[in-house]
Amino acid sequence: MGTDIAHPEITELATSGNPRGTVVLIHGSMDRSDSFRRVARHLSEWKLVSYDRRGWGKSRPLGGPRTTLSDHVADAITILSKLDRSIVVGHSYGGLIALCAVGRRPDLIRAVVAFEPPVRWLPWWPLEAPWERLIRESAADGPEAAADALYRAVVGHPRIPHRDGQAELAADGTALLTEMTDATLDEPSFDPFTLGLPVVLAAGTDSLPHHRESSRRLAELVPSGRFIEIRDAGHTAHVTHPNKFAELAEYAATLAEEQ
């Protein structure tokens, strides 16, 4: 388990003068809370908060080689407990955290959006997905090589050099390998049949087939599940299509109001 002494700090991305409620945004691997700032511009009626997950960004010191999915879920629940009952939107690994959080503490959540969550224990997930194989093969050259390989595969070009250069890339690679090699990700972490709140599963039409298929099938298992595709978007839809990504949160809020 990771450290239980401290938890990531909330970052307020935007606050409306009279907000409709709170939206909590949870980022994925190789990412930061700042990547949601484009999305925030399209959710002007909401109080928007996010945080750097342990091992990433400002929460780098909170991570470690023994950090597991359970630690990330505990962090999310701690943060949600400090806020009004929220709409929780998670991208990639953040989507998995959101689904686990609603499974454990539905009283803290109004609805969930999970964009292409890596639910590896579902039967529609490959035994070794393409990006998982890429990381395993590149990790032999060090954590920075793994981070660089995944970034190129997801974004399509090399990452702009950070001021800390290879040290920052290596730190990202270390956090990435900790998450991707976490054996608990291969075990069921929530029961989709018991999720009683609205859950929006989403994917990009240009994303990898197993991301789309797993999201669609998972939506069919959740009693109040919905599947939405963002046209012409890939895995980084929150960056490339922030307006459409924001609409997922609005749609989840509508479902929550109708329930």
Side-chain angles (χ1 to χ4, degrees), residues 7 30-31 33 41 46 54 117 119 123 128 144 147 184 186 188 196 198 200 210 226 258:
H7 296 276
M30 292 293 295
D31 208 352
S33 59
R41 297 170 192 161
W46 295 85
R54 61 177 62 221
V119 188
E128 186 177 48
E144 65 273 21
T184 67
D186 296 320
V200 177
H210 70 281
R226 301 287 192 280
E258 293 175 349

Side-chain angles (χ1 to χ4, degrees), residues 18-95:
N18 186 24
R20 290 174 54 190
T22 302
V23 174
V24 177
L25 299 148
I26 307 177
H27 71 82
S29 301
M30 292 293 295
D31 208 352
R32 310 284 192 280
S33 59
D34 278 350
S35 69
F36 289 118
R37 291 198 179 277
R38 296 180 186 179
V39 176
R41 297 170 192 161
H42 301 278
L43 291 170
S44 58
E45 297 181 352
W46 295 85
K47 175 181 179 180
L48 302 176
V49 300
S50 188
Y51 62 98
D52 289 343
R53 294 193 293 104
R54 61 177 62 221
W56 302 98
K58 296 177 182 178
S59 298
R60 180 87 76 200
L62 300 181
R66 299 177 63 189
T67 300
T68 67
L69 173 62
S70 182
D71 295 307
H72 291 290
V73 176
D75 286 340
I77 289 174
T78 296
I79 287 170
L80 289 167
S81 68
K82 300 176 182 178
L83 302 167
D84 295 333
R85 197 161 173 249
S86 305
I87 306 294
V88 182
V89 180
H91 173 260
S92 193
Y93 191 102

Side-chain angles (χ1 to χ4, degrees), residues 20 46 85-87 109-112 197-200 224 226 249-259:
R20 290 174 54 190
W46 295 85
R85 197 161 173 249
S86 305
I87 306 294
I109 300 170
R110 293 172 57 194
V112 164
L197 301 178
V199 175
V200 177
S224 296
R226 301 287 192 280
E250 295 278 11
Y251 180 52
T254 299
L255 295 176
E257 292 166 359
E258 293 175 349
Q259 193 175 52

Side-chain angles (χ1 to χ4, degrees), residues 120-228:
R120 296 197 324 212
W121 45 269
L122 286 177
W124 309 285
W125 197 268
L127 290 178
E128 186 177 48
W131 291 346
E132 295 166 7
R133 183 183 310 112
L134 176 67
I135 291 170
R136 176 177 57 78
E137 293 174 348
S138 59
D141 295 322
E144 65 273 21
D148 182 64
L150 182 62
Y151 190 90
R152 289 170 184 264
V154 176
V155 180
H157 58 76
R159 188 167 71 171
I160 298 173
H162 188 273
R163 64 179 181 273
D164 294 328
Q166 291 298 109
E168 184 70 9
L169 190 62
D172 277 354
T174 298
L176 173 67
L177 292 175
T178 295
E179 292 186 353
M180 297 293 283
T181 59
D182 176 9
T184 67
L185 264 65
D186 296 320
E187 304 167 358
S189 49
F190 63 91
D191 184 350
F193 296 105
T194 64
L195 301 184
L197 301 178
V199 175
V200 177
L201 276 299
T205 60
D206 293 350
S207 292
L208 294 175
H210 70 281
H211 282 162
R212 297 170 61 193
E213 182 72 356
S214 295
S215 296
R216 183 178 67 82
R217 294 294 191 111
L218 181 55
E220 295 173 354
L221 300 180
V222 177
S224 296
R226 301 287 192 280
F227 176 63
I228 301 291

